[in-house]
Amino acid sequence: MTAPDKQALACLSSIDVDLGQRSYRIEVGEGLLDSAGGVIKSRLVQPRVAVITDSNVEPLYRARLEKSLDQAGVDHQWIVLPAGERTKDFFHLRRLVDDLLFMRIERSTALVALGGGVIGDITGFAAAITLRGLDFIQIPTTLLAQVDSSVGGKTGINTTAGKNLVGAFHQPRLVLTDTQTLDTLAHRELLAGYAEVVKYGLLGDGAFFDWLEENGRVLVNGNSIAKNEARRHAIITCCRAKAAIVAADEREAGQRALLNLGHTFGHALEAQAGYGDALLHGEAVAIGMVMAFDLSARLGLCPAGQADRVRRHMADMGLPSHIKHLADSSWSADGLLAHMSLDKKVIGGKLNFVLVRGIGDAFITGEVEKSEVMALLKDALAG
Ligand code: NAD
Ligand code: GLY
């Protein structure tokens, strides 16, 4: 095993996701990519992996991971997919699975997802279905993937009917988070990931939201030492929260649905915007979370001041916080509601929402009348 350098070791933190035989570790540290080969090898049945990445990440991080895998004696083949949300579809899934099979991978060959949530989700799904199930390892390189999508085993693709509607629960064997990779991430992508960070404060940890109000700007824009420390603290806090939720409810029979705060609205916005650069997933979640607070306030469940505070934080950070930031004349309340009705969270034809009693106090309900949602959407579209 290659020795991690001293600096990486000094900053290394581990979080365990406790799922019995499917338990795994999340390692968080700066510069972890350089020692990834040895850690990966320790989880492999045979010293062979197929690394899946995208066209933006490959030129940035392939050489470092290759070197580390070579040093550890792990054989590696690479598949590079086009960057972007549109890659998470049947066409690219089929191509990916065909490429893996033509490489003559075996059941004991593991897949490694090097990239953001798109690469993690499609690679995890390919791992779940190829040869009836391969091991896979996540190396998340976006903030969104480091705090959310790489942990918990939700994998899948989008379809024309909606977001993430085809997929499988398939846990990774290991998550390796190198916080340094965030230094090359576009500011807009970092902010979109930040929305998922805020989610953890809003759904169950009011003190963390207070901390984000103080430190969010440092995390996104600060000088290197303070910025790194803030990122590290946020990533570890989010991963601990997610690990606990997933360990308690792996397949979303109950409380895991809290992680969908803002997503019922957010997925409808993404579908309406066409899954492209016009609206990133995290941006949709930012607006969706503000809408969940607005709906809660309209229903008298949460003080209106709390919704204002959430909107203000999103705006302070430079995130979109209102539908009017993206809607054009083709958008309608009926259209958005139709997208929401296709969401996975519909039970018996009823929309399921994550609503709030306040910051840090979210709950799940199927008791929201469609007329209330329509009224909110109409008012929001009217500006
Ligand atoms: P992404 O994977 O598209 O990455 C965003 C962009 O950043 C891409 O262009 C990518 O090439 C680029 N990039 C990635 N790492 C980089 C780096 N270090 N430096 C420079 N560029 C880099 O998007 P995302 O925001 O990471 O993930 C969004 C996806 O995650 C959505 O499809 C969403 O549905 C999914 N998601 C899944 C879960 C889950 O539990 N599985 C949870 C939340 C979100
Ligand atoms: N991102 C939602 C979940 O993992 O359940």
Side-chain angles (χ1 to χ4, degrees), residues 148 154 199 242 252 256 259-260:
D148 195 351
K154 278 190 184 176
K199 181 181 80 178
K242 183 146 187 187
E252 201 169 296
R256 181 165 180 171
L259 292 167
N260 299 328

Side-chain angles (χ1 to χ4, degrees), residues 81-209:
L81 298 173
E85 185 70 35
R86 293 207 173 102
T87 289
K88 242 180 75 171
D89 66 0
F90 271 118
F91 174 79
H92 291 92
L93 176 73
R94 181 182 156 179
R95 227 171 64 179
L96 172 56
V97 171
D98 277 344
D99 285 353
L100 288 167
L101 295 174
F102 285 126
M103 281 176 174
R104 304 222 173 282
I105 52 148
E106 299 170 7
R107 265 212 175 137
S108 49
T109 310
L111 306 190
V112 174
L114 174 69
V118 165
I119 288 301
D121 280 9
I122 192 169
T123 302
F125 190 33
I129 60 176
T130 305
L131 301 181
R132 296 212 177 90
L134 303 169
D135 284 349
F136 88 112
I137 289 168
Q138 293 266 20
I139 308 186
T141 61
T142 63
L143 182 58
L144 181 143
Q146 295 186 354
V147 299
D148 195 351
S149 61
S150 64
V151 177
K154 278 190 184 176
T155 72
I157 55 169
N158 306 322
T159 69
T160 34
K163 181 110 177 123
N164 297 332
L165 291 180
V166 171
F169 285 97
H170 187 57
Q171 299 293 342
R173 298 274 295 159
L174 170 73
V175 180
L176 280 179
T177 291
D178 183 342
T179 51
Q180 233 172 40
T181 58
L182 300 182
D183 289 343
T184 54
L185 195 60
H187 183 73
R188 185 177 169 205
E189 297 288 354
L190 193 69
L191 267 185
Y194 181 80
E196 300 274 13
V197 173
V198 174
K199 181 181 80 178
Y200 289 94
L202 296 180
L203 73 87
D205 188 349
F208 183 49
F209 184 76

Side-chain angles (χ1 to χ4, degrees), residues 35-51:
S35 54
V39 189
I40 290 172
K41 190 176 184 184
S42 70
R43 302 297 198 281
L44 299 179
V45 178
Q46 66 169 181
R48 178 183 177 199
V49 294
V51 185

Side-chain angles (χ1 to χ4, degrees), residues 246-263:
V246 169
D249 178 21
E250 182 183 6
R251 295 177 74 91
E252 201 169 296
Q255 65 159 299
R256 181 165 180 171
L258 292 173
L259 292 167
N260 299 328
L261 176 62
H263 284 59

Side-chain angles (χ1 to χ4, degrees), residues 10 18 52 56-58 69 80 152 189 193 201 224 285 294 298 306 325 331 333 339 356:
D18 193 359
I52 324 304
N56 290 336
V57 176
E58 186 206 15
L69 290 167
V80 182
E189 297 288 354
S224 62
V285 169
D294 281 341
R298 284 172 85 107
Q306 298 269 291
H325 296 145
W331 288 45
H339 286 306
V356 290

